Amino acid sequence: MTKTEICNRALGVLGHDRMISDFESDKSTEAERCRQFYMSAKMNCLSEHNWDFAAVEREFGAVSPDANGFARYPLPPGAIRIYSVTDDASRPLETRRTRDFLMVKSFGSPVKIRYIADDVDESEFTHKFTEAVVYQLAALLSGPMLGNDQKTHNFMNLAAQKLSDAVTKETDETAYRGEWNNPFIKARR
């Protein structure tokens, strides 16, 4: 689904009968409002879960640690949410985040940083995630377009439910990524 289609779905959810023709070039008030709120809706949804379709893994070389054992790594560009930092043996590492850097207790070894990226193309969204973005956008648009606080509150609740549904669906579909080396698991297979 494209940005234009997502915006038109959000406008439809609001009961608005005027749709936009193109997200980037349409000059209508509806298109201006959609451009104003679209990224917020998308980022709000992306930041709520470790979505498989938005996950990126980046490896960083060894950096000499400071006196406390923490090495300073730049935050990956476009990282909305860092959810895993491991060493080269996939062991979790202690981290501290500053505004511009990730401080990692790495003992001078290379690290892998897994994060949710903000530059995910809409064609990668799952169906349930797209629905969550549609309703989040509708909730953000409802205030300026409808001017009704009760309706805005109702759309916010619907958006939260759609996001919860998307998280549940993704969690149900996520395959086991652990290792089958556990003797108990091997014995059960």
Side-chain angles (χ1 to χ4, degrees):
M1 194 172 273
T2 66
K3 289 179 186 176
T4 301
E5 291 168 324
I6 290 170
C7 290
N8 283 334
R9 293 274 309 278
L11 291 167
V13 164
L14 292 174
H16 204 68
D17 57 356
R18 190 162 166 210
M19 300 294 140
I20 67 172
S21 60
D22 182 68
F23 182 83
E24 301 297 334
S25 63
D26 192 317
K27 301 294 184 210
S28 67
T29 302
E30 292 81 5
E32 293 292 330
R33 294 284 190 200
C34 286
R35 282 192 293 275
Q36 180 183 2
F37 292 109
Y38 182 83
M39 285 306 288
S40 292
K42 180 179 171 181
M43 294 305 149
N44 287 347
C45 292
L46 281 171
S47 66
E48 289 298 315
H49 181 66
N50 300 334
W51 305 101
D52 282 346
F53 64 84
V56 175
E57 180 176 280
R58 187 165 169 204
E59 191 165 327
F60 288 86
V63 174
S64 297
D66 63 15
N68 296 321
F70 283 90
R72 187 170 99 171
Y73 294 91
L75 288 175
I80 296 173
R81 178 178 196 200
I82 295 172
Y83 65 91
S84 173
V85 180
T86 59
D87 63 11
D88 50 0
S90 297
R91 292 180 296 244
L93 298 171
E94 181 182 346
T95 61
R96 296 181 187 151
R97 186 174 177 164
T98 67
R99 198 181 105 220
D100 299 316
F101 296 98
L102 190 62
M103 305 301 289
V104 179
K105 196 149 202 161
S106 65
F107 308 103
S109 64
V111 299
K112 290 180 187 172
I113 299 174
R114 289 179 193 87
Y115 62 95
I116 300 301
D118 68 356
D119 61 352
V120 181
D121 187 79
E122 285 70 17
S123 65
E124 300 293 319
F125 293 178
T126 64
H127 172 71
K128 292 283 189 185
F129 182 83
T130 301
E131 286 296 305
V133 174
V134 165
Y135 277 83
Q136 182 70 41
L137 181 57
L140 295 173
L141 290 170
S142 66
M145 294 186 82
L146 302 178
N148 182 319
D149 290 341
Q150 184 58 46
K151 285 187 178 181
T152 298
H153 177 75
N154 292 344
F155 282 116
M156 288 295 201
N157 287 337
L158 283 169
Q161 183 58 54
K162 292 292 184 178
L163 187 57
S164 176
D165 292 348
V167 169
T168 300
K169 181 74 170 167
E170 169 121 345
T171 303
D172 289 347
E173 292 180 355
T174 302
Y176 175 71
R177 291 195 176 102
E179 297 196 20
W180 297 106
N181 294 333
N182 182 310
F184 177 76
I185 294 173
K186 280 184 180 179
R188 304 257 315 166
R189 290 196 303 156

